[in-house]
Amino acid sequence: MGIDCLVLGAGQEIGKSCVVVTINGKKIMFDCGMHMGCDDHNRYPDFSIISKSGDFDNAISCIIITHFHMDHVGALPYFTEVCGYNGPIYMSYPTKALSPLMLEDYRRVMVDRRGEEELFTTTHIANCMKKVIAIDLKQTIQVDQDLQIRAYYAGHVLGAVMVYAKVGDAAIVYTGDYNMTTDRHLGAAKIDRLQLDLLISESTYATTIRGSKYPREREFLQAVHKCVAGGGKALIPSFALGRAQELCMLLDDYWERMNIKVPIYFSSGLTIQANMYYKMLISWTSQNVKEKHSTHNPFDFKNVKDFDRSLIHAPGPCVLFATPGMLCAGFSLEVFKHWAPSPLNLVALPGYSVAGTVGHKLMSGKPTTVDLYNGTKVDVRCKIHQVAFSPHTDAKGIMDLTNFLSPKNVVLVHGEKPSMMSLKDKITSELDIPCFVPANGETVSFASTTYIKANASDMFLKSCSNPNFKFSNSTQLRVTDQRTEDGVLVIEKSKKAKIVHQDEVSEVLHEKNHEVSLAYCCPVKAKEETCDVDLIKHLSKKILETISGAQIHESENCLQVGSFKGSLCLKEKCLHRRINSEAVFLCCDWSVAELELGWEIINLIKQKL
């Protein structure tokens, strides 16, 4: 038994999130999204990989949807009503309430307005949602006798969750999209410290580290204010739920403070419904919103009005939030066609735009014309302003979460390949955790955890009951308790496992002499042109500079300091290696009597030479 992670969508790309994880024989589908930038067979995940016969009920134990964005839920009605999956589907209460609104809005835009082939109907959406089981935060759900799941708050959008799944002793977390910082209307992601075999994390902003949000907010407000003060119209393409509420709160407050009389509009009746749900689901919002709610509902915007289509050509300045985001279709794209040719106007893009969308084309440069989906061209003379208000975590947030959870393995999804590869190297080198970046259709396999019961000898238990503090001198006093380090796990054939004190090992194994040692095949951060001899010399020099009184013996491909021995490892796979990569490795072993010396040298080896 083990863990297999099959990426059906969002592998080395952003779009159609769908990851199928098999944990000790139980198969879970995390998210079932569509690609917003595709209008061909690549729009949906390739479900045939799961089951060639189409018997998805027996192939999948359950589906878990992390939030209502189309790239995470957009293929669900197609998979249930057209492909025929009838098994359990789990999502949070807000996601269950808001997903049908988003799905119907998308269907209406793509079919009724653009005339595309109808892949699922209004009836399909309704029947699909009847199969959904809503779950609360931190509620442990027993899907069957072996599989249990639990949802954690993810920030990002209203109702978004991270998902913990456990089968036997093996456990994983799938993050979906998440945000590690609080914004105006949502809190930061929160999760317990868990023992995990695998963490599957989004990596939209794998190499971006954001500063304070206040300069970004000020820059956005100034850009919009300058536009309307000059008589222009500001178009903000956004999905009806999420960034729209965040930016409305920001603009509504600014309009009040500055006493600005220019109208702010919402284009979609969907947003009116969305704001109603936000008012009902206050418990899922930020602490700031909860505190204000007792005297005033922050989603009752004073300066925001509903937009009538006839106002597209009306004279005078205004601000318009139009759906959908990314300028991928619908009313936002229709307004863009009319407003883009005027240099007085502004298009403010409030987050990431998927490749293939008009939003992505505008963000990729300063185009003078843009090709639309139907082959028409639009002159772009308006100002383009990219607003860094994405609800996704940045690179620091991903590293912080990974470090906090300290899983045995990491898989990155939902990102752009070059940035993902850079983050993979960072996780591998700085956190010493194996990290993988599979493409769509690829499977990564891992060993799963199995716990065993073990007896403990009287001598080991006695040593554990007495403190064994060790004091070390450094820049500040460090105190460690060495008790558990004295234990050795002994597993003999057809006998129950036993933990004994290291002084008992010789007697238990019927050996006259026995010494406990540690071994680790450590990756070395060396320059590409460094040869083996130079590498050993560089390491020796670094050890001498750092560890006072160290006596080093070195040869061409190995060095020794006390009981610590390190030699260049030429094996493709080493028993003592946690990570297999193209790095240079030094195979090290040292006595438990010089435990601290060994780990001090290991930490030096990991630093760049």
Side-chain angles (χ1 to χ4, degrees):
M1 292 298 212
I3 297 173
D4 295 325
C5 178
L6 165 63
V7 177
L8 289 184
Q12 300 179 10
E13 66 169 3
I14 296 171
K16 64 176 180 187
S17 287
C18 187
V19 179
V20 178
V21 182
T22 306
I23 312 173
N24 292 342
K26 298 292 178 180
K27 197 164 284 188
I28 310 157
M29 178 184 285
F30 294 98
D31 286 331
C32 188
M34 63 173 299
H35 200 298
M36 300 294 284
C38 295
D39 55 7
D40 56 12
H41 68 282
N42 290 314
R43 178 179 290 173
Y44 289 159
D46 184 359
F47 298 121
S48 67
I49 297 174
I50 308 168
S51 172
K52 298 293 182 187
S53 66
D55 182 9
F56 297 112
D57 289 350
N58 288 318
I60 299 172
S61 301
C62 70
I63 297 175
I64 306 169
I65 303 296
T66 58
H67 63 287
F68 57 69
H69 278 162
M70 292 300 294
D71 61 329
H72 292 258
V73 73
L76 187 63
Y78 176 80
F79 187 57
T80 60
E81 306 313 303
V82 179
C83 298
Y85 173 76
N86 291 296
I89 305 164
Y90 298 93
M91 56 180 75
S92 70
Y93 280 94
T95 303
K96 184 176 181 180
L98 295 166
S99 289
L101 302 182
M102 299 293 285
L103 288 162
E104 177 56 30
D105 188 59
Y106 175 81
R107 188 209 64 76
R108 189 174 62 251
V109 167
M110 302 308 287
V111 177
D112 297 350
R113 292 189 192 164
R114 276 179 56 175
E116 291 196 3
E117 179 190 357
E118 188 168 54
L119 296 173
F120 55 80
T121 66
T122 300
T123 304
H124 284 155
I125 295 169
N127 290 338
C128 170
M129 298 312 295
K130 287 175 185 175
K131 298 171 183 175
V132 172
I133 303 162
I135 58 175
D136 277 321
L137 290 173
K138 291 197 172 184
Q139 177 188 2
T140 300
I141 302 291
Q142 201 72 40
V143 177
D144 59 27
Q145 188 177 352
D146 303 308
L147 170 61
Q148 65 174 226
I149 59 172
R150 189 159 61 243
Y152 290 93
Y153 189 82
H156 186 63
V157 293
L158 193 72
V161 295
M162 300 178 175
V163 184
Y164 169 77
K166 186 170 186 272
V167 178
D169 296 323
I172 74 160
V173 161
Y174 174 83
T175 67
D177 294 348
Y178 64 103
N179 195 352
M180 293 292 283
T181 55
T182 301
D183 59 25
R184 284 176 177 264
H185 79 295
L186 292 174
K190 297 174 190 172
I191 191 167
D192 296 333
R193 197 183 294 273
L194 304 161
Q195 289 191 322
L196 301 176
D197 293 289
L198 174 63
L199 171 66
I200 305 170
S201 174
E202 70 131 310
S203 52
T204 312
Y205 291 99
T207 55
T208 301
I209 297 179
R210 298 193 196 98
S212 168
K213 67 179 180 181
Y214 299 110
R216 288 180 274 130
E217 289 181 346
R218 186 167 57 249
E219 183 186 345
F220 165 70
L221 292 169
Q222 286 172 349
V224 174
H225 193 177
K226 184 179 178 181
C227 170
V228 297
K233 302 178 191 297
L235 171 64
I236 306 172
S238 62
F239 294 102
L241 298 136
R243 290 310 87 188
Q245 282 71 28
E246 180 79 6
L247 295 177
C248 264
M249 292 174 79
L250 183 63
L251 277 174
D252 198 51
D253 180 59
Y254 183 75
W255 251 230
E256 283 290 300
R257 286 188 287 111
M258 302 298 290
N259 196 28
I260 300 172
K261 301 302 180 184
V262 174
I264 303 172
Y265 294 113
F266 257 132
S267 71
S268 175
L270 171 61
T271 306
I272 307 301
Q273 287 177 280
N275 287 344
M276 177 189 72
Y277 278 108
Y278 268 84
K279 294 172 191 176
M280 290 167 54
L281 298 163
I282 288 292
S283 62
W284 285 77
T285 59
S286 67
Q287 192 60 37
N288 181 46
V289 169
K290 290 173 191 172
E291 289 170 0
K292 287 181 179 178
H293 182 251
S294 57
T295 55
H296 163 67
N297 193 314
F299 301 108
D300 286 329
F301 304 120
K302 295 177 183 177
N303 299 282
V304 181
K305 308 170 186 177
D306 204 7
F307 188 78
D308 187 86
R309 193 174 290 268
S310 63
L311 293 171
I312 292 178
H313 302 291
C318 70
V319 178
L320 172 62
F321 286 88
T323 60
M326 305 186 194
L327 293 171
C328 58
F331 192 61
S332 62
L333 192 60
E334 184 181 338
V335 175
F336 172 77
K337 285 191 287 186
H338 294 291
W339 290 5
S342 171
L344 292 176
N345 296 339
L346 167 74
V347 174
L349 296 159
Y352 187 87
S353 290
V354 169
T357 61
V358 173
H360 187 269
K361 293 172 186 175
L362 296 177
M363 287 166 60
S364 301
K366 293 183 178 179
T368 54
T369 60
V370 168
D371 293 326
L372 302 186
Y373 300 99
N374 56 9
T376 59
K377 293 180 183 293
V378 174
D379 289 332
V380 181
R381 298 193 187 94
C382 65
K383 299 175 187 68
I384 307 296
H385 184 82
Q386 189 176 351
V387 189
F389 287 135
S390 174
H392 295 269
T393 192
D394 63 1
K396 181 180 181 302
I398 299 170
M399 290 294 287
D400 287 347
L401 180 71
T402 306
N403 190 35
F404 174 76
L405 291 173
S406 296
K408 292 179 181 175
N409 302 280
V410 174
V411 165
L412 297 178
V413 293
H414 199 286
E416 294 176 334
K417 186 177 178 180
S419 299
M420 295 170 87
M421 299 309 288
S422 175
L423 181 60
K424 171 193 170 183
D425 292 341
K426 192 175 175 70
I427 290 170
T428 301
S429 60
E430 293 186 16
L431 302 181
D432 196 23
I433 298 173
C435 185
F436 305 87
V437 184
N440 288 339
E442 291 183 355
T443 300
V444 188
S445 298
F446 311 94
S448 59
T449 297
T450 302
Y451 293 107
I452 59 169
K453 290 184 178 180
N455 294 326
S457 71
D458 292 341
M459 187 174 180
F460 175 69
L461 290 173
K462 189 176 180 181
S463 73
C464 286
S465 64
N466 297 313
N468 183 16
F469 295 120
K470 191 167 184 178
F471 301 88
S472 56
N473 294 320
S474 57
T475 52
Q476 60 185 49
L477 180 65
R478 286 181 60 216
V479 183
T480 54
D481 191 342
Q482 302 289 104
R483 281 179 283 188
T484 55
E485 291 171 2
D486 293 337
V488 176
L489 177 65
V490 178
I491 302 176
E492 294 182 88
K493 193 173 182 180
S494 59
K495 287 186 180 180
K496 191 169 184 179
K498 190 173 186 179
I499 302 172
V500 300
H501 193 276
Q502 62 181 27
D503 293 345
E504 297 179 282
V505 174
S506 297
E507 183 182 342
V508 170
L509 298 180
H510 309 294
E511 297 285 342
K512 289 184 178 179
N513 297 309
H514 180 81
E515 182 179 314
V516 179
S517 62
L518 293 88
Y520 177 48
C521 196
C522 180
V524 184
K525 282 190 174 180
K527 295 176 183 176
E528 288 185 15
E529 64 274 10
T530 306
C531 68
D532 293 353
V533 176
D534 288 341
L535 185 66
I536 296 296
K537 288 188 180 298
H538 284 316
L539 283 172
S540 298
K541 184 181 177 184
K542 202 163 193 174
I543 292 168
L544 284 171
E545 289 171 352
T546 310
I547 303 173
S548 59
Q551 294 186 350
I552 301 176
H553 303 281
E554 62 177 77
S555 62
E556 283 188 8
N557 62 356
C558 64
L559 59 84
Q560 181 172 350
V561 185
S563 67
F564 183 94
K565 298 173 187 173
S567 57
L568 290 170
C569 186
L570 303 177
K571 298 174 184 174
E572 280 191 22
K573 290 187 178 181
C574 179
L575 286 173
H576 308 305
R577 189 181 302 166
R578 289 190 63 196
I579 300 163
N580 283 311
S581 68
E582 295 179 3
V584 176
F585 287 89
L586 198 72
C587 218
C588 309
D589 65 84
W590 64 99
S591 168
V592 74
E594 293 187 301
L595 188 70
E596 286 199 6
L597 171 69
W599 286 118
E600 192 171 357
I601 295 173
I602 291 292
N603 288 331
L604 289 174
I605 293 170
K606 287 181 178 179
Q607 296 170 16
K608 196 159 189 175
L609 298 178

